[in-house]
Amino acid sequence: MSKDAMKDSVLAHLKYALGKDAAHATVYDWRIALSLAVRDRIVDPWFNATRTVYRADAKRVYYLSMEFLIGRLLEDALVNSGAHDEARAAFDALGLPFEDVLYDEPDPALGNGGLGRLAACFLESLSTLGIPAMGYGIRYEHGLFRQRFENGWQVEEPETWLTQDHVWEFERPEAAFEIGFGGHVHGGEDRAVWRPAEAVIAQAFDTPVIGWQGRWANTLRLWGALPKQVLDLGRFNRGDFSGAAEPEALARTISRVLYPDDTTEGGKALRLKQEYFFTSASLRDLLRRFEGDHDDWRDLPKKVAIQLNDTHPGIAGPELVRLLVDERGMAFEDAVEVARGCLNYTNHTLLPEALERWNEGLLGYLLPRHMQLIERIDELHARENPKRKVSIREHGEVKMGDLSFIMASKVNGVSALHTELMKETVFRDLHKLHPERIINQTNGVTPRRWLRTCNPALAGLITDTIGDGWIADAEELERLEPHLDDAAFLERFADAKRANKARLADWIGKTQGVQLDPSAMFDVQIKRIHEYKRQHLNILETIALWQEMRDHPDGDWQPRVKIFGGKAAPGYHFAKEIIHLINSVARVANADPVTAKWLKVVFPPNYNVTLAERLIPAADLSEQISTAGMEASGTGNMKFALNGAVTLGTLDGANVEIRDRVGAENFFLFGMTAEEVMARREVEGHAAAAIAADPRLARALDALRNGTFADGDHDRFRGIADNIAGPDWFLVASDFADYWRAGRAAEAAFRDGAGWNRQAALNTARAGWFSSDRTIRGYARDIWRADPPDSFRTVAAE
Ligand code: NBG
């Protein structure tokens, strides 16, 4: 499409879809008009893909996830459909600010963190690779809360992305299922009849997900909850107006809000309802699709691969068995075999508080038939494995991890270390019974969004240097290596980083009112706020650094900017205190005339995909400092490396593999290993000993207790100080000294401009393996046994 055709299309949509005249159009109007123009270009490849899959009767992958953190869609669609340059040119010709239009789009926060963003990267890679797939999830009316700071404290506000037109989705009133809850089960063991006490309608909303170069598009199908009956007319006529609207309100709560917590289980009935709601709708949808062309249910695993993204859709096992037995007349044991042939499960955390368990009373009340089937599945597994020590049910609870494991063909971890720890810890007994079942698939990120789109300066340099093949095959980035001995290339690499930092400094100046020196070292930690991720270790080191600078105001300090971003779960008090501490240190340190030229602390609020896209390209140092053994993988760590930031990190999650690939000399390692962590926790008084041995740490902790950052209030940060001095489960004290050492080593390396630059460029050159295309190929090969249809290439040419 030419620039003029794009311009005409945008103007036509502005006029006929929005009813606006160019002279009176707002940024919002232009954004919607442009989105519609780009959407037009996606619909054909999307239809073609669907037709091709039907024609080839190809196996489909179904990715079930409570969260899809898709980020803004317009720029992604522009870049992947190849319309970006024409669109920019068209907007230039119209005299309109293209960037403002792109940033006008709200970021749909339909996820908490890594798990949801991974699902979004996977969808994009599935489309890029032409693998027939569908993402299934919930269309939350309110995504993750919007974060604001008030006197440094986190304040949560509802996210309202749907108050604007959301033109990327197509409503599908015809794709709807009735989802029941509660009630009673009648009849025998097989072919029981479940009569639910209440029901809601799950209705589909489809969003096309376009792959690189617009060759293929899969669908993200999100379910919205609607009432069976909009209005209780009887109550309305009796004058009970608010009561009359009750059925609607009740039903809609199911897809109203995303649970704002990615590590602890709310244990709420509503959450269980949400999980069953979208899992059941998705399974019934895919069975209906299969039913259209096939008549033997035993063939289901040949056509259907289902991936359970963590245990949130773990009820899929019993639900699929129920649909096959009660609604299609299959024998129980056959149904279990068919279900297991289709289902696979990804584990994303070892934190015990995050492993879902449902009270049997609650499960039996909301899903009585499923509770019966879970008992039978458990008995069958016991019969098949007479030596087993475990049971799905324990202390009156159903362990969703064990249920998902037992009902899956393959169970995977998300980094090499995490997978090994899974075998030794949570699934130790099940792994002994089924040693083939657990495999590893190290996470990845899409290089389209996380390099090509978010970092045009670096992407342009790479393409000038090695061509654009890296966008489809990120491992081609290795071809940069020979250029790392070319001073001119390294200078251009440094220029790109400098430009990104200047841009970020400008934005921070405007939005946060803090002036940053773009030549300082930009040191970034962005992720959910959690004790295991140890933002408090980072801020403690910041305090110690600030104190030393004050002691030696004539010192030759390396200027450093500490940038934080992340939300705390609303009920996680300690995490909120950490946020308050960071903001309090920022307030004091940024205003200190002695240190302000060397040290700045900034914490832009409401961290989300869009903010990550701003921050990552401008980072020099990537903080990946979790307690070893606790971060399953991490994916931010990969995005930083890809964008030429050097990691300061522990041997945790995928950091281990990043270090292996970029080389130990290009990675600042510190801290205990996972094994050492486990051993140290057994040592009584480990924190006190670490503090006694390190005056610097003792003094930083004192500053928390003497009111330095709390206008003299000695108690404000006592909780954090006491925790680090006391139980210190996350070993902040024990890792502090080594973290301090590594931080100084990173600063020294940064001072040596050329050497640092080379390290940074090496990170980019060697991080291509962390593309989600590589991850998806692994899943397709080892788990799903699904391929792109033979005609994928011909379709692209059509
Ligand atoms: C998160 C882990 C991360 C990992 C992502 C994606 C959950 C439950 N787990 O380390 O904490 O990168 O999953 O696999 O959100």
Side-chain angles (χ1 to χ4, degrees), residues 63 67 112-119 122 261-264 309-312 346-351 354 413-415 418 441-444 527-528 532-533 626 630-638 652-654 779:
Y63 198 83
E67 306 186 7
N112 276 289
L115 173 150
R117 183 54 232 176
L118 184 77
F122 278 8
D261 195 334
D262 62 346
T263 49
T264 58
N309 196 27
D310 223 296
T311 56
H312 315 145
T346 306
N347 173 278
H348 291 271
T349 179
L350 303 174
L351 296 188
V414 290
S415 74
H418 165 66
Q441 298 294 345
T442 297
N443 284 168
K527 47 187 81 244
R528 286 302 288 262
Y532 86 79
K533 295 178 187 281
S626 52
M630 304 201 75
E631 187 70 88
S633 163
T635 44
N637 47 4
M638 302 168 183
D652 199 14
Y779 277 82

Side-chain angles (χ1 to χ4, degrees), residues 287-306:
L287 289 183
R288 185 189 46 72
R289 198 167 296 120
F290 176 86
E291 229 153 7
D293 303 316
H294 305 88
D295 36 37
D296 190 344
W297 288 105
R298 280 166 305 185
D299 288 340
L300 194 68
K302 291 186 196 147
K303 298 295 166 191
V304 166
I306 301 169

